[in-house]
Structure formats: structure tokens, C-alpha cells
Amino acid sequence: MGHPFPIREIARQAGLSEATVDRVLNHRGGVRESTAREVHRAIADLDRQRTQVRLVGRTFMVDIVMQAPERFSTAVRAALEAELPSLHPAVVRSRFHFRETGPVPELTAVCDRIARRGSQGVILKAPDVPEMTEAVARLAAADIPVVTLVTDLPASARIGHVGSDNRAAGATAAYLMGQWLGGRPAHVLTSLSSGFFRNEEEREMGFRSVMRARHPEHTLVEIAEGQGLDAEQYDLVRVALDRDPDIRAVYSIGGGNVATLRAFEDAGRDCDVYIAHDLDHDNTRLLREHRLSAVLHHDLRHDLREACHLVMRAHGALPPAGPVLPSPIQVVTPYNMPPAAPPRTPAV
């Protein structure tokens, strides 16, 4: 594939040796298919970030490590790359390590590879488990600052956290749910992708506390561990609907909303109120179709900009600043959706 990038730059982006990249580009063989994909993915990343590569300034290579459904990791990638030009005169280059699900050791292995080869910073979305806390400690020992994104690991050696106030988001969802259900009898399905993500746990706690205090007439029915993936989510929702004929509303904490709505339809059930999180491509479409009541959203571009600033401060490239404030929570309905971003102009 044609490209304007030197082998050394591609190797750095991919985290591979120059010899390996040379073998892939010149079709010399002896390279695993997965490694070849990493090289081509690195070239694609460099192409998207080409305007930044031309900027004059200090360069920071930042690794984004996430366990999240594809729809959310795609939104994070787009938000970061949209923010890169605003970080001038610094040049921030990014490598992405995304996985939808899998055992924690696979995620810690990614962090350990980054620790061995080096990086100016890691932006991390991961479960709050001891193994991840230990992996962050190893990154810190390698002088690689870690910033947690959206969901925190507060007991770890991370230098900071960016995201919204998740308890407040859950309480906001409860306020809206109570207002829209009114006095109608209804059980409310609360759906988490996993109990190991602190942000989801905090949202659930905020939601449950307000519902118990202000709307005790509504029973909460919890499902979890669908990982935000459609197949798993569909099965969990269908079981819940079959067991409880009074479920008529949903607070979706962890995603999988296309599958949840399909489960309601296949069961011949109505959903009177449906509140979700994040304007990813699925939720944007569902909101436009009036299949969601509201989406609680926060500005991912703001989060990624703050995360990059934290990394720069850790290296002394920016002056010290106060603590990062939580991202404002936006209540988005079909009638106040932000305008769609214009399509990216291909590099020439």
C-alpha cells in the first residue's frame, strides 16, 4: 500500500521493529498475519493523524488501552483524533489497543508490553480489579504516566482521571425516570455491562439511591455481565422480561441498546421510558428514531484533551494546574441533538 511515511515512523507507531515493518511492506514473508495487520493499522493511524505530524513541537506518543464495545472505542478514537490539532504546538501521536471483552490478563499483558517498549503516556479504560492496579504500578515504575478515562482505578498509581461525575449521572437518570413514569406502575430494568467497571457501579448507586428515596413504588430489576455486546445482552434481557411481566422501563448503564430494544420487540412488550448513556453511533440513530427517551452524554473530546494535558504536565511540558473537574452531564433528547460532525477530508 502506498504511503508517505518512513519505516522508522511506522515502526514506532506500530510498536514493532523496523526490520519487521520492512518485511511486511516488501512482502518478504516470515511475518504473522496479525503482525501485518498491525503494520497496516499503524499506517492508517498515521494517515489520519498526518496534519499533526507536520506540526512543529514536542512529540508525545500516547497509548490508548480500552476494554469497551466497538461503538464506544470508535467514538473515543474519533474524539481524540479530532482534538489532536488543538494541542499545537505539541505533537500528540496515538496508538490504539482496543478489545471488547476477554480475561483481565490479556489487558494487563498489553500494559506490560507498553511498559517494555516505552511510551509518553497511557490513557486507560479498564475494570477496577487488583490485577489492573498492579499493571498500572508497573507502568508507573517505567516512568509512564497513566490517566484513567471514563471509569477510574482510584487505588492505582494513575496520575489523574477524566470523565463525568457518574453518581450524579445516575441520580439524573433517576430524576428523569421518576418524572416520565409519573404514577404509572412499572418495574425498571437496570442494565450493567459488568460489575467490575467503577463508572457503572457509581451510576447504579446514584440511580438506586434516588429511586429508593423519591420513587419507592418502582421496583428495580438488575441484569449485568452482558459486556455491552448485543448477543449476550439480548439473552439477558429476554430472560428478565420472561420472568417479570411488569418491566416497562430501562436505565441502560452499560450499553447494548439495540439488542435490548429487539428483546422487547420480540417479547411483544412496550418500553415506556428508556434512558441510556453516550452518543455513540448506535444511540445517535436510536435517539433520532425516538426509540430512546434520552441519552446522558459527556464530551469525549473534552475528556481526551484533558487526558493529553495531564500527560504533558507529567513530563513538565505544561505548567501545573488544579484538579481536573468532571465533564458536564448533558441530557440529550431527539430535539436537542448536537449537529453531526462533517466527514473527514481524506489526506492527499
Side-chain angles (χ1 to χ4, degrees):
M1 60 189 297
H3 61 83
F5 309 109
I7 287 177
R8 177 175 296 179
E9 196 168 7
I10 298 168
R12 185 181 184 206
Q13 180 73 23
L16 300 169
S17 70
E18 293 181 31
T20 298
V21 172
D22 182 72
R23 286 199 297 272
V24 171
L25 296 181
N26 291 287
H27 309 287
R28 293 200 176 97
V31 179
R32 291 193 302 270
E33 182 179 346
S34 61
T35 302
R37 285 198 299 269
E38 289 182 22
V39 171
H40 296 310
R41 190 180 304 119
I43 294 171
D45 289 343
L46 285 170
D47 185 59
R48 282 193 304 273
Q49 300 168 34
R50 188 186 294 189
T51 56
Q52 266 287 293
V53 174
R54 295 195 188 108
L55 295 177
V56 177
R58 186 168 175 181
T59 299
F60 296 86
M61 177 64 77
V62 177
D63 289 270
I64 296 82
V65 181
M66 292 180 53
Q67 179 174 313
E70 177 274 335
R71 58 183 174 270
F72 186 75
S73 57
T74 296
V76 169
R77 181 195 292 264
L80 176 60
E81 292 180 344
E83 278 301 303
L84 293 182
S86 73
L87 299 171
H88 178 76
V91 178
V92 175
R93 297 256 301 281
S94 51
R95 295 183 293 223
F96 299 96
H97 314 269
F98 294 157
R99 61 201 289 275
E100 288 198 306
T101 187
V104 170
E106 292 183 4
L107 200 58
T108 60
V110 172
C111 295
D112 289 340
R113 285 196 296 271
I114 294 169
R116 288 193 297 270
R117 76 184 180 199
S119 176
Q120 274 71 55
V122 170
I123 299 173
L124 177 66
K125 179 185 181 295
D128 184 13
V129 294
E131 297 92 330
M132 287 309 309
T133 298
E134 293 164 4
V136 172
R138 292 191 290 273
L139 286 165
D143 294 324
I144 299 174
V146 176
V147 179
T148 53
L149 172 68
V150 176
T151 184
D152 200 7
L153 280 72
S156 72
R158 54 89 168 132
I159 63 168
H161 171 69
V162 293
S164 62
D165 182 332
N166 289 298
R167 281 181 181 263
T172 300
Y175 173 80
L176 296 173
M177 184 69 70
Q179 294 294 310
W180 287 336
L181 282 178
R184 290 174 290 171
H187 292 182
V188 179
L189 184 70
T190 63
S191 170
L192 294 84
S193 72
S194 172
F196 292 105
F197 286 104
R198 178 170 288 267
N199 66 321
E200 295 189 17
E201 179 185 28
E202 291 174 344
R203 290 172 183 175
E204 193 274 339
M205 292 171 66
F207 183 80
R208 186 176 295 275
S209 64
V210 172
M211 291 297 289
R212 282 177 172 170
R214 301 183 63 87
H215 306 286
E217 70 276 14
H218 298 303
T219 298
L220 306 185
V221 180
E222 181 181 312
I223 60 173
E225 305 309 321
Q227 305 301 323
L229 303 178
D230 285 346
E232 292 83 351
Q233 182 72 9
Y234 178 88
D235 292 341
L236 288 170
V237 176
R238 279 304 303 265
V239 169
L241 293 176
D242 290 344
R243 289 177 176 172
D244 191 331
D246 295 320
I247 295 175
R248 297 182 58 185
V250 174
Y251 175 38
S252 175
I253 299 171
N257 300 312
V258 171
T260 298
L261 286 165
R262 188 172 73 250
F264 270 84
E265 292 169 357
D266 291 350
R269 302 272 289 275
D270 293 327
C271 184
D272 295 339
V273 180
Y274 198 126
I275 299 171
H277 281 272
D278 302 316
L279 278 179
D280 56 39
H281 53 76
D282 278 355
N283 288 347
T284 297
R285 175 176 60 83
L286 293 172
L287 198 57
R288 291 189 189 281
E289 295 171 354
H290 290 246
R291 300 176 71 193
L292 301 180
S293 307
V295 170
L296 301 181
H297 183 64
H298 64 280
D299 186 355
L300 282 174
R301 288 185 59 171
H302 170 272
D303 291 346
L304 272 301
R305 181 170 63 251
E306 291 296 332
C308 290
H309 285 168
L310 283 169
V311 169
M312 293 177 190
R313 289 190 185 100
H315 290 282
L318 288 177
V324 177
L325 298 177
S327 305
I329 300 165
Q330 306 169 31
V331 179
V332 184
T333 74
Y335 301 100
N336 69 331
M337 297 183 66
R344 185 180 66 87
T345 302
V348 295

Short mmCIF file of all heavy atoms in Angstrom, two decimals, residues 54-90:
data_model
loop_
_atom_site.label_atom_id
_atom_site.label_comp_id
_atom_site.label_asym_id
_atom_site.label_seq_id
_atom_site.Cartn_x
_atom_site.Cartn_y
_atom_site.Cartn_z
N ARG A 54 2.87 17.08 10.88
CA ARG A 54 3.55 18.22 10.27
C ARG A 54 3.80 19.35 11.26
O ARG A 54 4.54 20.28 10.96
CB ARG A 54 2.69 18.77 9.11
CG ARG A 54 2.52 17.81 7.94
CD ARG A 54 2.00 18.57 6.74
NE ARG A 54 1.65 17.67 5.65
CZ ARG A 54 0.41 17.38 5.29
NH1 ARG A 54 -0.60 17.92 5.93
NH2 ARG A 54 0.17 16.56 4.29
N LEU A 55 3.15 19.33 12.41
CA LEU A 55 3.30 20.42 13.35
C LEU A 55 4.70 20.41 13.96
O LEU A 55 5.31 19.36 14.18
CB LEU A 55 2.27 20.30 14.48
CG LEU A 55 0.81 20.47 14.05
CD1 LEU A 55 -0.10 20.25 15.26
CD2 LEU A 55 0.56 21.83 13.44
N VAL A 56 5.17 21.60 14.27
CA VAL A 56 6.48 21.73 14.90
C VAL A 56 6.28 21.80 16.40
O VAL A 56 5.56 22.66 16.91
CB VAL A 56 7.22 22.98 14.39
CG1 VAL A 56 8.56 23.13 15.11
CG2 VAL A 56 7.42 22.89 12.89
N GLY A 57 6.90 20.95 17.16
CA GLY A 57 6.76 20.98 18.62
C GLY A 57 7.23 19.67 19.21
O GLY A 57 7.70 18.77 18.52
N ARG A 58 7.08 19.56 20.49
CA ARG A 58 7.49 18.35 21.20
C ARG A 58 6.51 17.22 20.88
O ARG A 58 5.30 17.42 20.82
CB ARG A 58 7.51 18.63 22.69
CG ARG A 58 8.06 17.48 23.51
CD ARG A 58 8.31 17.94 24.93
NE ARG A 58 8.72 16.82 25.77
CZ ARG A 58 8.99 16.94 27.06
NH1 ARG A 58 8.90 18.13 27.64
NH2 ARG A 58 9.36 15.89 27.77
N THR A 59 7.02 16.03 20.67
CA THR A 59 6.19 14.89 20.30
C THR A 59 5.93 13.99 21.50
O THR A 59 6.86 13.66 22.24
CB THR A 59 6.84 14.08 19.17
OG1 THR A 59 7.00 14.92 18.02
CG2 THR A 59 5.99 12.89 18.79
N PHE A 60 4.67 13.61 21.67
CA PHE A 60 4.27 12.69 22.72
C PHE A 60 3.58 11.50 22.06
O PHE A 60 2.59 11.67 21.35
CB PHE A 60 3.29 13.35 23.70
CG PHE A 60 3.88 14.49 24.47
CD1 PHE A 60 3.88 15.77 23.94
CD2 PHE A 60 4.44 14.29 25.72
CE1 PHE A 60 4.43 16.83 24.64
CE2 PHE A 60 4.99 15.35 26.43
CZ PHE A 60 4.99 16.61 25.89
N MET A 61 4.10 10.32 22.30
CA MET A 61 3.45 9.09 21.85
C MET A 61 2.60 8.57 23.01
O MET A 61 3.11 8.27 24.08
CB MET A 61 4.47 8.04 21.43
CG MET A 61 3.84 6.72 21.02
SD MET A 61 2.79 6.87 19.55
CE MET A 61 4.05 6.96 18.27
N VAL A 62 1.30 8.51 22.79
CA VAL A 62 0.36 8.12 23.84
C VAL A 62 -0.36 6.85 23.41
O VAL A 62 -0.82 6.75 22.26
CB VAL A 62 -0.66 9.25 24.11
CG1 VAL A 62 -1.68 8.82 25.15
CG2 VAL A 62 0.06 10.52 24.57
N ASP A 63 -0.46 5.89 24.32
CA ASP A 63 -1.17 4.64 24.05
C ASP A 63 -2.54 4.69 24.71
O ASP A 63 -2.66 5.02 25.90
CB ASP A 63 -0.37 3.46 24.60
CG ASP A 63 0.88 3.20 23.78
OD1 ASP A 63 0.79 2.42 22.82
OD2 ASP A 63 1.94 3.78 24.10
N ILE A 64 -3.58 4.35 23.95
CA ILE A 64 -4.94 4.30 24.47
C ILE A 64 -5.32 2.84 24.60
O ILE A 64 -5.41 2.11 23.61
CB ILE A 64 -5.93 5.06 23.56
CG1 ILE A 64 -5.61 6.55 23.54
CG2 ILE A 64 -7.35 4.88 24.08
CD1 ILE A 64 -4.51 6.95 22.60
N VAL A 65 -5.53 2.40 25.83
CA VAL A 65 -5.82 1.00 26.14
C VAL A 65 -7.24 0.94 26.69
O VAL A 65 -7.54 1.56 27.71
CB VAL A 65 -4.82 0.42 27.16
CG1 VAL A 65 -5.13 -1.04 27.45
CG2 VAL A 65 -3.39 0.58 26.66
N MET A 66 -8.11 0.18 26.02
CA MET A 66 -9.52 0.19 26.43
C MET A 66 -10.14 -1.19 26.29
O MET A 66 -9.89 -1.89 25.31
CB MET A 66 -10.32 1.16 25.55
CG MET A 66 -10.00 2.62 25.75
SD MET A 66 -11.02 3.65 24.66
CE MET A 66 -12.65 3.06 25.06
N GLN A 67 -10.97 -1.53 27.25
CA GLN A 67 -11.92 -2.63 27.11
C GLN A 67 -13.30 -2.00 27.02
O GLN A 67 -13.80 -1.44 28.00
CB GLN A 67 -11.85 -3.61 28.28
CG GLN A 67 -12.85 -4.76 28.16
CD GLN A 67 -12.67 -5.80 29.24
OE1 GLN A 67 -11.56 -6.23 29.53
NE2 GLN A 67 -13.78 -6.20 29.86
N ALA A 68 -13.89 -2.08 25.84
CA ALA A 68 -15.19 -1.44 25.60
C ALA A 68 -15.76 -1.98 24.30
O ALA A 68 -15.01 -2.40 23.42
CB ALA A 68 -15.03 0.08 25.51
N PRO A 69 -17.09 -1.93 24.14
CA PRO A 69 -17.67 -2.31 22.85
C PRO A 69 -17.13 -1.43 21.73
O PRO A 69 -16.74 -0.27 21.95
CB PRO A 69 -19.17 -2.09 23.07
CG PRO A 69 -19.36 -2.18 24.55
CD PRO A 69 -18.11 -1.62 25.15
N GLU A 70 -17.14 -1.97 20.52
CA GLU A 70 -16.59 -1.26 19.36
C GLU A 70 -17.22 0.11 19.18
O GLU A 70 -16.53 1.07 18.81
CB GLU A 70 -16.78 -2.12 18.11
CG GLU A 70 -16.31 -1.48 16.82
CD GLU A 70 -17.37 -0.59 16.16
OE1 GLU A 70 -18.57 -0.81 16.41
OE2 GLU A 70 -16.98 0.33 15.40
N ARG A 71 -18.51 0.23 19.43
CA ARG A 71 -19.18 1.52 19.19
C ARG A 71 -18.59 2.61 20.08
O ARG A 71 -18.50 3.77 19.67
CB ARG A 71 -20.68 1.38 19.42
CG ARG A 71 -21.06 0.92 20.81
CD ARG A 71 -22.55 0.73 21.00
NE ARG A 71 -22.82 0.15 22.31
CZ ARG A 71 -22.86 -1.16 22.54
NH1 ARG A 71 -22.68 -2.01 21.56
NH2 ARG A 71 -23.09 -1.62 23.76
N PHE A 72 -18.17 2.25 21.31
CA PHE A 72 -17.61 3.26 22.20
C PHE A 72 -16.14 3.53 21.88
O PHE A 72 -15.70 4.68 21.89
CB PHE A 72 -17.75 2.83 23.67
CG PHE A 72 -17.32 3.90 24.64
CD1 PHE A 72 -18.13 5.01 24.86
CD2 PHE A 72 -16.11 3.83 25.31
CE1 PHE A 72 -17.73 6.02 25.74
CE2 PHE A 72 -15.71 4.82 26.19
CZ PHE A 72 -16.53 5.92 26.40
N SER A 73 -15.37 2.48 21.60
CA SER A 73 -13.96 2.71 21.27
C SER A 73 -13.83 3.51 19.98
O SER A 73 -12.92 4.34 19.84
CB SER A 73 -13.22 1.38 21.16
OG SER A 73 -13.81 0.52 20.20
N THR A 74 -14.75 3.31 19.04
CA THR A 74 -14.75 4.12 17.82
C THR A 74 -15.00 5.59 18.14
O THR A 74 -14.36 6.49 17.58
CB THR A 74 -15.82 3.61 16.84
OG1 THR A 74 -15.49 2.27 16.44
CG2 THR A 74 -15.90 4.49 15.60
N ALA A 75 -15.92 5.85 19.07
CA ALA A 75 -16.20 7.23 19.46
C ALA A 75 -14.99 7.86 20.15
O ALA A 75 -14.68 9.05 19.93
CB ALA A 75 -17.42 7.28 20.38
N VAL A 76 -14.27 7.08 20.95
CA VAL A 76 -13.07 7.60 21.63
C VAL A 76 -11.98 7.91 20.61
O VAL A 76 -11.33 8.97 20.66
CB VAL A 76 -12.57 6.60 22.68
CG1 VAL A 76 -11.18 6.98 23.18
CG2 VAL A 76 -13.55 6.53 23.85
N ARG A 77 -11.76 7.01 19.66
CA ARG A 77 -10.75 7.25 18.63
C ARG A 77 -11.07 8.53 17.86
O ARG A 77 -10.18 9.38 17.64
CB ARG A 77 -10.70 6.07 17.66
CG ARG A 77 -9.64 6.24 16.57
CD ARG A 77 -9.86 5.25 15.43
NE ARG A 77 -9.61 3.88 15.81
CZ ARG A 77 -8.46 3.24 15.62
NH1 ARG A 77 -7.44 3.87 15.08
NH2 ARG A 77 -8.34 1.97 15.97
N ALA A 78 -12.33 8.69 17.45
CA ALA A 78 -12.72 9.88 16.70
C ALA A 78 -12.55 11.15 17.53
O ALA A 78 -12.10 12.19 17.03
CB ALA A 78 -14.17 9.75 16.22
N ALA A 79 -12.89 11.08 18.82
CA ALA A 79 -12.77 12.26 19.68
C ALA A 79 -11.31 12.66 19.86
O ALA A 79 -10.97 13.85 19.79
CB ALA A 79 -13.41 11.96 21.04
N LEU A 80 -10.44 11.68 20.06
CA LEU A 80 -9.02 12.00 20.24
C LEU A 80 -8.44 12.60 18.97
O LEU A 80 -7.75 13.63 19.00
CB LEU A 80 -8.24 10.76 20.64
CG LEU A 80 -6.73 10.96 20.77
CD1 LEU A 80 -6.41 12.01 21.83
CD2 LEU A 80 -6.02 9.66 21.09
N GLU A 81 -8.70 11.98 17.84
CA GLU A 81 -8.11 12.46 16.60
C GLU A 81 -8.66 13.83 16.22
O GLU A 81 -7.97 14.63 15.59
CB GLU A 81 -8.30 11.43 15.50
CG GLU A 81 -7.49 10.16 15.79
CD GLU A 81 -7.62 9.08 14.74
OE1 GLU A 81 -8.57 9.16 13.93
OE2 GLU A 81 -6.79 8.16 14.74
N ALA A 82 -9.91 14.12 16.61
CA ALA A 82 -10.45 15.46 16.36
C ALA A 82 -9.76 16.52 17.23
O ALA A 82 -9.68 17.69 16.85
CB ALA A 82 -11.96 15.48 16.62
N GLU A 83 -9.25 16.10 18.40
CA GLU A 83 -8.60 17.04 19.31
C GLU A 83 -7.13 17.26 19.01
O GLU A 83 -6.54 18.23 19.49
CB GLU A 83 -8.74 16.55 20.76
CG GLU A 83 -10.07 16.88 21.40
CD GLU A 83 -10.33 18.37 21.43
OE1 GLU A 83 -9.50 19.11 22.00
OE2 GLU A 83 -11.35 18.80 20.88
N LEU A 84 -6.51 16.39 18.24
CA LEU A 84 -5.07 16.49 18.04
C LEU A 84 -4.61 17.87 17.55
O LEU A 84 -3.63 18.41 18.08
CB LEU A 84 -4.59 15.40 17.07
CG LEU A 84 -4.70 13.96 17.58
CD1 LEU A 84 -4.15 12.99 16.54
CD2 LEU A 84 -3.97 13.77 18.90
N PRO A 85 -5.28 18.48 16.56
CA PRO A 85 -4.79 19.78 16.11
C PRO A 85 -4.84 20.86 17.20
O PRO A 85 -4.03 21.79 17.18
CB PRO A 85 -5.72 20.12 14.94
CG PRO A 85 -6.22 18.80 14.45
CD PRO A 85 -6.36 17.97 15.69
N SER A 86 -5.77 20.74 18.15
CA SER A 86 -5.90 21.77 19.18
C SER A 86 -4.76 21.72 20.19
O SER A 86 -4.61 22.65 20.99
CB SER A 86 -7.23 21.61 19.92
OG SER A 86 -7.21 20.48 20.77
N LEU A 87 -3.96 20.67 20.17
CA LEU A 87 -2.88 20.52 21.13
C LEU A 87 -1.59 21.18 20.65
O LEU A 87 -0.57 21.10 21.33
CB LEU A 87 -2.63 19.03 21.41
CG LEU A 87 -3.83 18.29 22.01
CD1 LEU A 87 -3.58 16.79 22.05
CD2 LEU A 87 -4.16 18.81 23.40
N HIS A 88 -1.62 21.83 19.50
CA HIS A 88 -0.47 22.58 18.98
C HIS A 88 0.03 23.57 20.04
O HIS A 88 -0.78 24.17 20.73
CB HIS A 88 -0.93 23.33 17.72
CG HIS A 88 0.13 24.17 17.10
ND1 HIS A 88 1.15 23.65 16.36
CD2 HIS A 88 0.32 25.52 17.12
CE1 HIS A 88 1.93 24.63 15.94
NE2 HIS A 88 1.44 25.77 16.39
N PRO A 89 1.35 23.75 20.22
CA PRO A 89 2.43 23.30 19.35
C PRO A 89 2.96 21.90 19.65
O PRO A 89 3.88 21.44 18.98
CB PRO A 89 3.52 24.33 19.58
CG PRO A 89 3.34 24.70 21.01
CD PRO A 89 1.85 24.67 21.26
N ALA A 90 2.41 21.23 20.66
CA ALA A 90 2.85 19.85 20.88
C ALA A 90 2.28 18.95 19.79
O ALA A 90 1.24 19.23 19.20
CB ALA A 90 2.37 19.36 22.25
#
